[in-house]
Amino acid sequence: MSSELLEQQLEARDPDVRLMIQVRDDVQGAFEVLVERYQHRLVGILGHLVGRKEEAEDLTQEVFLRIYRARKGYRPRAKFSTWLFTIANNLALNHLRGKGRNPSTTPGGDGSSSQERALAREGTPSAQMRQVELSEVVRDALDILGEDQKMAVLLNKFEDMSYSEIADVMGRSEAAIKSLLARARNHLREQLEPYLKTGQRGA
């Protein structure tokens, strides 16, 4: 398939590719729409990866800055989200290497998602407590994974990406991603099973 035909197909299928082409062509307001569409999703995933919300927000700004700087050379080769999360993954890994691979957390900077907070506000007080605690248990379980496993799980569960899309983001083969996710799910199951059986942390 020619690159021109691929671009046409991607533009027809992916509204975010069309939006990025508008950014490339300096259509007024297009970049702001793009930021609004992906900002919270990026902060959520990067928050899980780097451990601090403030750092996740800084990295998210850097992702958008790189996209804006690269806009004139943009030629779609895959879904827009694949390109965006490839940039985010590379930035996060470089950031963690620079820190010596030690994600840290601070109060209010745990990378918890707006969906988790919204769920925690619903229902009875005991249901709220259980939801907040379950969110913490899931985050703790994710933290035992290596960066590659964690990124693969986050893209698969939060972004609903296929194995092939995750492989593109992470520069791996599809078979490697399947293996990575299988190991990650086993680790997560081992960590979460005691809590799901008893409802108690560390049981």
Side-chain angles (χ1 to χ4, degrees):
M1 183 187 300
S2 71
S3 60
E4 188 175 336
L5 182 58
L6 177 62
E7 285 183 27
Q8 290 171 356
Q9 290 188 354
L10 286 166
E11 189 176 352
R13 287 200 307 257
D14 188 346
D16 291 335
V17 166
R18 294 197 293 275
L19 186 58
M20 185 61 208
I21 288 172
Q22 291 178 354
V23 173
R24 180 188 71 190
D25 296 339
D26 293 323
V27 174
Q28 188 171 0
F31 185 67
E32 288 75 11
V33 172
L34 196 70
V35 170
E36 187 176 331
R37 191 170 291 182
Y38 279 96
Q39 186 170 20
H40 294 300
R41 290 156 66 179
L42 272 174
V43 170
I45 284 184
L46 290 170
H48 278 296
L49 279 175
V50 302
R52 290 175 62 110
K53 187 177 180 182
E54 295 86 353
E55 291 177 9
E57 288 171 344
D58 289 344
L59 286 169
T60 295
Q61 287 186 350
E62 180 64 24
V63 170
F64 286 123
L65 183 61
R66 292 194 178 197
I67 284 173
Y68 188 75
R69 285 174 175 166
R71 71 192 188 284
K72 289 302 181 184
Y74 177 69
R75 294 292 180 271
R77 296 288 180 269
K79 287 175 63 177
F80 173 77
S81 59
T82 302
W83 183 53
L84 174 112
F85 283 107
T86 300
I87 296 171
N89 182 50
N90 291 337
L91 278 172
L93 291 179
N94 288 338
H95 176 77
L96 288 170
R97 286 188 197 109
K99 288 176 62 179
R101 198 195 170 284
N102 240 341
S104 57
T105 56
T106 55
D110 57 7
S112 60
S113 70
S114 57
Q115 294 98 322
E116 288 170 352
R117 291 192 296 272
L119 282 168
R121 288 196 296 268
E122 296 175 2
T124 63
S126 61
Q128 290 176 18
M129 283 295 292
R130 182 170 172 80
Q131 178 60 47
V132 170
E133 190 170 291
L134 182 57
S135 296
E136 291 172 356
V137 170
V138 170
R139 275 198 298 277
D140 288 347
L142 277 170
D143 282 343
I144 70 161
L145 302 178
E147 286 94 355
D148 283 355
Q149 287 182 330
K150 195 184 295 187
M151 188 63 168
V153 168
L154 294 170
L155 291 176
N156 184 241
K157 294 302 179 189
F158 290 178
E159 289 298 317
D160 198 27
M161 284 191 178
S162 67
Y163 292 143
S164 63
E165 288 168 344
I166 298 170
D168 286 341
V169 167
M170 300 181 66
R172 302 285 189 87
S173 69
E174 195 170 332
I177 294 301
K178 286 180 181 178
S179 174
L180 202 65
L181 280 169
R183 292 198 306 273
R185 287 176 185 133
N186 285 336
H187 286 315
L188 289 172
R189 193 176 297 115
E190 289 169 7
Q191 292 296 309
L192 294 173
E193 196 169 17
Y195 177 83
L196 294 175
K197 280 182 177 177
T198 66
Q200 299 294 324
R201 300 187 72 172

